[in-house]
PDB file of all heavy atoms in Angstrom:
ATOM      1  N   GLN A   1     -79.258 -51.349 -34.488  1.00 82.00           N
ATOM      2  CA  GLN A   1     -79.934 -51.436 -33.196  1.00 82.00           C
ATOM      3  C   GLN A   1     -81.353 -50.622 -33.247  1.00 82.00           C
ATOM      4  O   GLN A   1     -82.267 -51.127 -32.558  1.00 82.00           O
ATOM      5  CB  GLN A   1     -79.155 -50.749 -32.199  1.00 82.00           C
ATOM      6  CG  GLN A   1     -77.818 -51.507 -31.926  1.00 82.00           C
ATOM      7  CD  GLN A   1     -77.095 -50.878 -30.733  1.00 82.00           C
ATOM      8  OE1 GLN A   1     -77.628 -50.494 -29.606  1.00 82.00           O
ATOM      9  NE2 GLN A   1     -75.818 -50.499 -30.998  1.00 82.00           N
ATOM     10  N   HIS A   2     -81.392 -49.535 -34.018  1.00 79.00           N
ATOM     11  CA  HIS A   2     -82.647 -48.834 -33.993  1.00 79.00           C
ATOM     12  C   HIS A   2     -83.497 -49.019 -35.138  1.00 79.00           C
ATOM     13  O   HIS A   2     -84.596 -48.388 -35.101  1.00 79.00           O
ATOM     14  CB  HIS A   2     -82.035 -47.274 -33.998  1.00 79.00           C
ATOM     15  CG  HIS A   2     -81.306 -46.891 -32.763  1.00 79.00           C
ATOM     16  ND1 HIS A   2     -80.700 -45.660 -32.707  1.00 79.00           N
ATOM     17  CD2 HIS A   2     -81.222 -47.529 -31.666  1.00 79.00           C
ATOM     18  CE1 HIS A   2     -80.109 -45.560 -31.485  1.00 79.00           C
ATOM     19  NE2 HIS A   2     -80.422 -46.759 -30.801  1.00 79.00           N
ATOM     20  N   ALA A   3     -83.135 -49.763 -36.169  1.00 78.00           N
ATOM     21  CA  ALA A   3     -84.240 -50.078 -37.146  1.00 78.00           C
ATOM     22  C   ALA A   3     -85.451 -50.926 -36.568  1.00 78.00           C
ATOM     23  O   ALA A   3     -85.184 -51.931 -35.994  1.00 78.00           O
ATOM     24  CB  ALA A   3     -83.551 -50.860 -38.378  1.00 78.00           C
ATOM     25  N   LYS A   4     -86.638 -50.398 -36.844  1.00 77.00           N
ATOM     26  CA  LYS A   4     -87.734 -51.146 -36.360  1.00 77.00           C
ATOM     27  C   LYS A   4     -88.712 -51.656 -37.409  1.00 77.00           C
ATOM     28  O   LYS A   4     -89.219 -52.777 -37.299  1.00 77.00           O
ATOM     29  CB  LYS A   4     -88.571 -50.136 -35.568  1.00 77.00           C
ATOM     30  CG  LYS A   4     -87.935 -49.609 -34.277  1.00 77.00           C
ATOM     31  CD  LYS A   4     -87.603 -50.733 -33.273  1.00 77.00           C
ATOM     32  CE  LYS A   4     -86.985 -50.135 -32.032  1.00 77.00           C
ATOM     33  NZ  LYS A   4     -85.600 -49.619 -32.154  1.00 77.00           N
ATOM     34  N   SER A   5     -88.943 -50.895 -38.445  1.00 77.00           N
ATOM     35  CA  SER A   5     -89.882 -51.345 -39.539  1.00 77.00           C
ATOM     36  C   SER A   5     -89.123 -52.367 -40.510  1.00 77.00           C
ATOM     37  O   SER A   5     -87.887 -52.509 -40.523  1.00 77.00           O
ATOM     38  CB  SER A   5     -90.367 -50.171 -40.381  1.00 77.00           C
ATOM     39  OG  SER A   5     -89.231 -49.660 -41.167  1.00 77.00           O
ATOM     40  N   LYS A   6     -89.902 -53.083 -41.232  1.00 84.00           N
ATOM     41  CA  LYS A   6     -89.428 -54.030 -42.183  1.00 84.00           C
ATOM     42  C   LYS A   6     -88.459 -53.383 -43.249  1.00 84.00           C
ATOM     43  O   LYS A   6     -87.377 -53.800 -43.642  1.00 84.00           O
ATOM     44  CB  LYS A   6     -90.577 -54.842 -42.984  1.00 84.00           C
ATOM     45  CG  LYS A   6     -90.023 -55.836 -43.907  1.00 84.00           C
ATOM     46  CD  LYS A   6     -91.198 -56.500 -44.647  1.00 84.00           C
ATOM     47  CE  LYS A   6     -90.738 -57.589 -45.610  1.00 84.00           C
ATOM     48  NZ  LYS A   6     -91.856 -58.297 -46.176  1.00 84.00           N
ATOM     49  N   GLU A   7     -88.927 -52.241 -43.685  1.00 82.00           N
ATOM     50  CA  GLU A   7     -88.064 -51.471 -44.774  1.00 82.00           C
ATOM     51  C   GLU A   7     -86.850 -50.948 -44.050  1.00 82.00           C
ATOM     52  O   GLU A   7     -85.720 -51.051 -44.683  1.00 82.00           O
ATOM     53  CB  GLU A   7     -88.886 -50.246 -45.301  1.00 82.00           C
ATOM     54  CG  GLU A   7     -88.166 -49.416 -46.390  1.00 82.00           C
ATOM     55  CD  GLU A   7     -88.980 -48.385 -46.901  1.00 82.00           C
ATOM     56  OE1 GLU A   7     -89.952 -47.973 -46.242  1.00 82.00           O
ATOM     57  OE2 GLU A   7     -88.609 -47.909 -47.930  1.00 82.00           O
ATOM     58  N   GLY A   8     -86.885 -50.494 -42.816  1.00 81.00           N
ATOM     59  CA  GLY A   8     -85.707 -50.026 -42.189  1.00 81.00           C
ATOM     60  C   GLY A   8     -84.650 -51.067 -41.940  1.00 81.00           C
ATOM     61  O   GLY A   8     -83.497 -50.818 -42.177  1.00 81.00           O
ATOM     62  N   LYS A   9     -85.207 -52.359 -41.576  1.00 86.00           N
ATOM     63  CA  LYS A   9     -84.212 -53.417 -41.334  1.00 86.00           C
ATOM     64  C   LYS A   9     -83.538 -53.840 -42.629  1.00 86.00           C
ATOM     65  O   LYS A   9     -82.465 -54.180 -42.643  1.00 86.00           O
ATOM     66  CB  LYS A   9     -84.988 -54.523 -40.607  1.00 86.00           C
ATOM     67  CG  LYS A   9     -85.456 -54.285 -39.246  1.00 86.00           C
ATOM     68  CD  LYS A   9     -86.193 -55.434 -38.642  1.00 86.00           C
ATOM     69  CE  LYS A   9     -86.698 -55.252 -37.185  1.00 86.00           C
ATOM     70  NZ  LYS A   9     -87.451 -56.248 -36.632  1.00 86.00           N
ATOM     71  N   ALA A  10     -84.422 -53.925 -43.698  1.00 88.00           N
ATOM     72  CA  ALA A  10     -83.877 -54.251 -44.957  1.00 88.00           C
ATOM     73  C   ALA A  10     -82.826 -53.208 -45.470  1.00 88.00           C
ATOM     74  O   ALA A  10     -81.715 -53.640 -46.037  1.00 88.00           O
ATOM     75  CB  ALA A  10     -84.932 -54.426 -46.033  1.00 88.00           C
ATOM     76  N   GLN A  11     -83.090 -51.946 -45.255  1.00 86.00           N
ATOM     77  CA  GLN A  11     -82.127 -51.022 -45.663  1.00 86.00           C
ATOM     78  C   GLN A  11     -80.809 -51.011 -44.988  1.00 86.00           C
ATOM     79  O   GLN A  11     -79.688 -50.924 -45.450  1.00 86.00           O
ATOM     80  CB  GLN A  11     -82.743 -49.651 -45.466  1.00 86.00           C
ATOM     81  CG  GLN A  11     -83.808 -49.311 -46.484  1.00 86.00           C
ATOM     82  CD  GLN A  11     -84.617 -47.952 -46.082  1.00 86.00           C
ATOM     83  OE1 GLN A  11     -84.773 -47.674 -44.881  1.00 86.00           O
ATOM     84  NE2 GLN A  11     -85.053 -47.309 -47.086  1.00 86.00           N
ATOM     85  N   VAL A  12     -80.842 -51.337 -43.609  1.00 87.00           N
ATOM     86  CA  VAL A  12     -79.693 -51.512 -42.920  1.00 87.00           C
ATOM     87  C   VAL A  12     -78.886 -52.746 -43.197  1.00 87.00           C
ATOM     88  O   VAL A  12     -77.645 -52.688 -43.292  1.00 87.00           O
ATOM     89  CB  VAL A  12     -79.984 -51.492 -41.381  1.00 87.00           C
ATOM     90  CG1 VAL A  12     -78.801 -51.877 -40.454  1.00 87.00           C
ATOM     91  CG2 VAL A  12     -80.692 -50.154 -40.834  1.00 87.00           C
ATOM     92  N   GLU A  13     -79.656 -53.813 -43.430  1.00 89.00           N
ATOM     93  CA  GLU A  13     -78.891 -55.031 -43.731  1.00 89.00           C
ATOM     94  C   GLU A  13     -78.233 -54.916 -45.154  1.00 89.00           C
ATOM     95  O   GLU A  13     -77.121 -55.351 -45.297  1.00 89.00           O
ATOM     96  CB  GLU A  13     -79.887 -56.169 -43.873  1.00 89.00           C
ATOM     97  CG  GLU A  13     -79.222 -57.523 -44.128  1.00 89.00           C
ATOM     98  CD  GLU A  13     -80.212 -58.673 -44.059  1.00 89.00           C
ATOM     99  OE1 GLU A  13     -81.454 -58.456 -43.941  1.00 89.00           O
ATOM    100  OE2 GLU A  13     -79.834 -59.847 -44.373  1.00 89.00           O
ATOM    101  N   LEU A  14     -78.801 -54.167 -46.109  1.00 90.00           N
ATOM    102  CA  LEU A  14     -78.213 -53.908 -47.412  1.00 90.00           C
ATOM    103  C   LEU A  14     -76.967 -53.244 -47.248  1.00 90.00           C
ATOM    104  O   LEU A  14     -75.931 -53.450 -47.805  1.00 90.00           O
ATOM    105  CB  LEU A  14     -79.249 -53.216 -48.305  1.00 90.00           C
ATOM    106  CG  LEU A  14     -78.622 -52.848 -49.737  1.00 90.00           C
ATOM    107  CD1 LEU A  14     -78.184 -53.985 -50.474  1.00 90.00           C
ATOM    108  CD2 LEU A  14     -79.717 -51.959 -50.453  1.00 90.00           C
ATOM    109  N   ALA A  15     -76.933 -52.125 -46.379  1.00 88.00           N
ATOM    110  CA  ALA A  15     -75.800 -51.350 -46.236  1.00 88.00           C
ATOM    111  C   ALA A  15     -74.670 -52.109 -45.439  1.00 88.00           C
ATOM    112  O   ALA A  15     -73.450 -52.109 -45.832  1.00 88.00           O
ATOM    113  CB  ALA A  15     -76.143 -50.108 -45.363  1.00 88.00           C
ATOM    114  N   GLN A  16     -75.083 -52.951 -44.460  1.00 89.00           N
ATOM    115  CA  GLN A  16     -74.084 -53.779 -43.812  1.00 89.00           C
ATOM    116  C   GLN A  16     -73.411 -54.796 -44.760  1.00 89.00           C
ATOM    117  O   GLN A  16     -72.084 -54.998 -44.825  1.00 89.00           O
ATOM    118  CB  GLN A  16     -74.632 -54.531 -42.831  1.00 89.00           C
ATOM    119  CG  GLN A  16     -75.082 -53.684 -41.537  1.00 89.00           C
ATOM    120  CD  GLN A  16     -75.733 -54.392 -40.396  1.00 89.00           C
ATOM    121  OE1 GLN A  16     -76.505 -55.294 -40.660  1.00 89.00           O
ATOM    122  NE2 GLN A  16     -75.425 -54.179 -39.241  1.00 89.00           N
ATOM    123  N   LEU A  17     -74.172 -55.397 -45.688  1.00 90.00           N
ATOM    124  CA  LEU A  17     -73.548 -56.374 -46.608  1.00 90.00           C
ATOM    125  C   LEU A  17     -72.783 -55.644 -47.602  1.00 90.00           C
ATOM    126  O   LEU A  17     -71.730 -56.226 -48.032  1.00 90.00           O
ATOM    127  CB  LEU A  17     -74.760 -57.111 -47.325  1.00 90.00           C
ATOM    128  CG  LEU A  17     -75.501 -58.031 -46.475  1.00 90.00           C
ATOM    129  CD1 LEU A  17     -76.722 -58.626 -47.259  1.00 90.00           C
ATOM    130  CD2 LEU A  17     -74.678 -59.239 -45.892  1.00 90.00           C
ATOM    131  N   GLN A  18     -73.028 -54.519 -48.135  1.00 88.00           N
ATOM    132  CA  GLN A  18     -72.305 -53.712 -49.058  1.00 88.00           C
ATOM    133  C   GLN A  18     -70.878 -53.421 -48.360  1.00 88.00           C
ATOM    134  O   GLN A  18     -69.870 -53.468 -48.982  1.00 88.00           O
ATOM    135  CB  GLN A  18     -72.981 -52.498 -49.515  1.00 88.00           C
ATOM    136  CG  GLN A  18     -74.102 -52.793 -50.478  1.00 88.00           C
ATOM    137  CD  GLN A  18     -74.835 -51.640 -50.899  1.00 88.00           C
ATOM    138  OE1 GLN A  18     -75.031 -50.691 -50.046  1.00 88.00           O
ATOM    139  NE2 GLN A  18     -75.514 -51.561 -52.054  1.00 88.00           N
ATOM    140  N   TYR A  19     -70.941 -53.074 -47.050  1.00 87.00           N
ATOM    141  CA  TYR A  19     -69.754 -52.679 -46.437  1.00 87.00           C
ATOM    142  C   TYR A  19     -68.894 -54.079 -46.192  1.00 87.00           C
ATOM    143  O   TYR A  19     -67.678 -53.954 -46.362  1.00 87.00           O
ATOM    144  CB  TYR A  19     -70.076 -52.065 -45.067  1.00 87.00           C
ATOM    145  CG  TYR A  19     -68.867 -51.898 -44.135  1.00 87.00           C
ATOM    146  CD1 TYR A  19     -68.117 -50.880 -44.334  1.00 87.00           C
ATOM    147  CD2 TYR A  19     -68.691 -52.814 -43.072  1.00 87.00           C
ATOM    148  CE1 TYR A  19     -67.032 -50.384 -43.406  1.00 87.00           C
ATOM    149  CE2 TYR A  19     -67.566 -52.543 -42.266  1.00 87.00           C
ATOM    150  CZ  TYR A  19     -66.799 -51.385 -42.397  1.00 87.00           C
ATOM    151  OH  TYR A  19     -65.735 -51.258 -41.675  1.00 87.00           O
ATOM    152  N   MET A  20     -69.552 -55.133 -45.826  1.00 86.00           N
ATOM    153  CA  MET A  20     -68.783 -56.267 -45.446  1.00 86.00           C
ATOM    154  C   MET A  20     -68.219 -56.987 -46.609  1.00 86.00           C
ATOM    155  O   MET A  20     -67.095 -57.674 -46.594  1.00 86.00           O
ATOM    156  CB  MET A  20     -69.855 -57.293 -44.845  1.00 86.00           C
ATOM    157  CG  MET A  20     -69.121 -58.609 -44.282  1.00 86.00           C
ATOM    158  SD  MET A  20     -70.337 -59.832 -43.674  1.00 86.00           S
ATOM    159  CE  MET A  20     -71.162 -58.748 -42.426  1.00 86.00           C
ATOM    160  N   LYS A  21     -68.953 -56.828 -47.755  1.00 84.00           N
ATOM    161  CA  LYS A  21     -68.296 -57.525 -49.078  1.00 84.00           C
ATOM    162  C   LYS A  21     -66.990 -57.201 -49.431  1.00 84.00           C
ATOM    163  O   LYS A  21     -66.169 -58.024 -49.894  1.00 84.00           O
ATOM    164  CB  LYS A  21     -69.261 -57.220 -50.203  1.00 84.00           C
ATOM    165  CG  LYS A  21     -68.930 -57.960 -51.576  1.00 84.00           C
ATOM    166  CD  LYS A  21     -69.948 -57.595 -52.577  1.00 84.00           C
ATOM    167  CE  LYS A  21     -69.903 -56.246 -53.127  1.00 84.00           C
ATOM    168  NZ  LYS A  21     -70.760 -55.942 -54.253  1.00 84.00           N
ATOM    169  N   GLN A  22     -66.515 -55.929 -49.208  1.00 78.00           N
ATOM    170  CA  GLN A  22     -65.207 -55.522 -49.528  1.00 78.00           C
ATOM    171  C   GLN A  22     -64.180 -55.823 -48.388  1.00 78.00           C
ATOM    172  O   GLN A  22     -62.947 -55.576 -48.612  1.00 78.00           O
ATOM    173  CB  GLN A  22     -65.179 -53.960 -49.726  1.00 78.00           C
ATOM    174  CG  GLN A  22     -66.118 -53.500 -50.729  1.00 78.00           C
ATOM    175  CD  GLN A  22     -65.945 -54.181 -52.147  1.00 78.00           C
ATOM    176  OE1 GLN A  22     -64.827 -54.339 -52.452  1.00 78.00           O
ATOM    177  NE2 GLN A  22     -67.112 -54.303 -52.801  1.00 78.00           N
ATOM    178  N   ARG A  23     -64.649 -56.350 -47.369  1.00 79.00           N
ATOM    179  CA  ARG A  23     -63.849 -56.621 -46.261  1.00 79.00           C
ATOM    180  C   ARG A  23     -63.696 -58.016 -45.672  1.00 79.00           C
ATOM    181  O   ARG A  23     -63.317 -58.351 -44.599  1.00 79.00           O
ATOM    182  CB  ARG A  23     -64.135 -55.742 -44.949  1.00 79.00           C
ATOM    183  CG  ARG A  23     -63.883 -54.229 -45.355  1.00 79.00           C
ATOM    184  CD  ARG A  23     -64.562 -53.338 -44.356  1.00 79.00           C
ATOM    185  NE  ARG A  23     -64.214 -51.870 -44.635  1.00 79.00           N
ATOM    186  CZ  ARG A  23     -64.753 -51.060 -45.569  1.00 79.00           C
ATOM    187  NH1 ARG A  23     -65.620 -51.664 -46.414  1.00 79.00           N
ATOM    188  NH2 ARG A  23     -64.346 -49.849 -45.814  1.00 79.00           N
ATOM    189  N   LEU A  24     -64.118 -58.892 -46.638  1.00 75.00           N
ATOM    190  CA  LEU A  24     -64.017 -60.395 -46.264  1.00 75.00           C
ATOM    191  C   LEU A  24     -62.620 -60.785 -46.199  1.00 75.00           C
ATOM    192  O   LEU A  24     -61.771 -60.493 -46.972  1.00 75.00           O
ATOM    193  CB  LEU A  24     -64.767 -61.260 -47.281  1.00 75.00           C
ATOM    194  CG  LEU A  24     -66.321 -61.063 -47.314  1.00 75.00           C
ATOM    195  CD1 LEU A  24     -66.803 -61.927 -48.432  1.00 75.00           C
ATOM    196  CD2 LEU A  24     -66.880 -61.590 -45.997  1.00 75.00           C
ATOM    197  N   ARG A  25     -62.295 -61.607 -45.196  1.00 66.00           N
ATOM    198  CA  ARG A  25     -60.977 -62.194 -44.916  1.00 66.00           C
ATOM    199  C   ARG A  25     -61.061 -63.572 -44.550  1.00 66.00           C
ATOM    200  O   ARG A  25     -62.116 -64.129 -44.151  1.00 66.00           O
ATOM    201  CB  ARG A  25     -60.305 -61.488 -43.851  1.00 66.00           C
ATOM    202  CG  ARG A  25     -59.893 -60.035 -44.085  1.00 66.00           C
ATOM    203  CD  ARG A  25     -59.674 -59.163 -42.826  1.00 66.00           C
ATOM    204  NE  ARG A  25     -58.505 -59.804 -42.102  1.00 66.00           N
ATOM    205  CZ  ARG A  25     -58.247 -59.329 -40.858  1.00 66.00           C
ATOM    206  NH1 ARG A  25     -58.846 -58.338 -40.347  1.00 66.00           N
ATOM    207  NH2 ARG A  25     -57.213 -59.938 -40.102  1.00 66.00           N
ATOM    208  N   GLY A  26     -59.986 -64.319 -45.012  1.00 55.00           N
ATOM    209  CA  GLY A  26     -59.846 -65.754 -44.608  1.00 55.00           C
ATOM    210  C   GLY A  26     -58.545 -66.104 -44.057  1.00 55.00           C
ATOM    211  O   GLY A  26     -57.564 -65.431 -44.335  1.00 55.00           O
ATOM    212  N   TRP A  27     -58.535 -67.245 -43.208  1.00 49.00           N
ATOM    213  CA  TRP A  27     -57.320 -67.691 -42.664  1.00 49.00           C
ATOM    214  C   TRP A  27     -57.276 -69.232 -42.940  1.00 49.00           C
ATOM    215  O   TRP A  27     -58.248 -69.959 -42.765  1.00 49.00           O
ATOM    216  CB  TRP A  27     -57.298 -67.356 -41.196  1.00 49.00           C
ATOM    217  CG  TRP A  27     -57.031 -66.012 -40.867  1.00 49.00           C
ATOM    218  CD1 TRP A  27     -55.870 -65.243 -40.766  1.00 49.00           C
ATOM    219  CD2 TRP A  27     -58.019 -65.001 -40.834  1.00 49.00           C
ATOM    220  NE1 TRP A  27     -56.099 -63.885 -40.509  1.00 49.00           N
ATOM    221  CE2 TRP A  27     -57.453 -63.720 -40.601  1.00 49.00           C
ATOM    222  CE3 TRP A  27     -59.402 -64.972 -40.987  1.00 49.00           C
ATOM    223  CZ2 TRP A  27     -58.231 -62.547 -40.456  1.00 49.00           C
ATOM    224  CZ3 TRP A  27     -60.141 -63.878 -40.881  1.00 49.00           C
ATOM    225  CH2 TRP A  27     -59.479 -62.719 -40.614  1.00 49.00           C
ATOM    226  N   GLY A  28     -55.962 -69.711 -43.126  1.00 46.00           N
ATOM    227  CA  GLY A  28     -55.884 -71.277 -43.199  1.00 46.00           C
ATOM    228  C   GLY A  28     -56.784 -71.863 -44.114  1.00 46.00           C
ATOM    229  O   GLY A  28     -56.858 -71.523 -45.412  1.00 46.00           O
TER     230      GLY A  28
END
């Protein structure tokens, strides 16, 4: 929510993807 600069947004997105990669789930 608070990232404003291009570098800040890229840093946050990188952290989110690293977190999400270990928590992918699938159904059916």
Side-chain angles (χ1 to χ4, degrees):
Q1 293 182 54
H2 292 172
K4 298 295 187 295
S5 68
K6 180 179 180 181
E7 183 178 15
K9 291 179 180 179
Q11 288 168 328
V12 172
E13 185 178 1
L14 175 60
Q16 288 177 320
L17 290 175
Q18 289 173 333
Y19 173 83
M20 185 188 302
K21 184 174 68 172
Q22 305 301 326
R23 292 164 174 80
L24 288 178
R25 291 163 56 184
W27 291 264

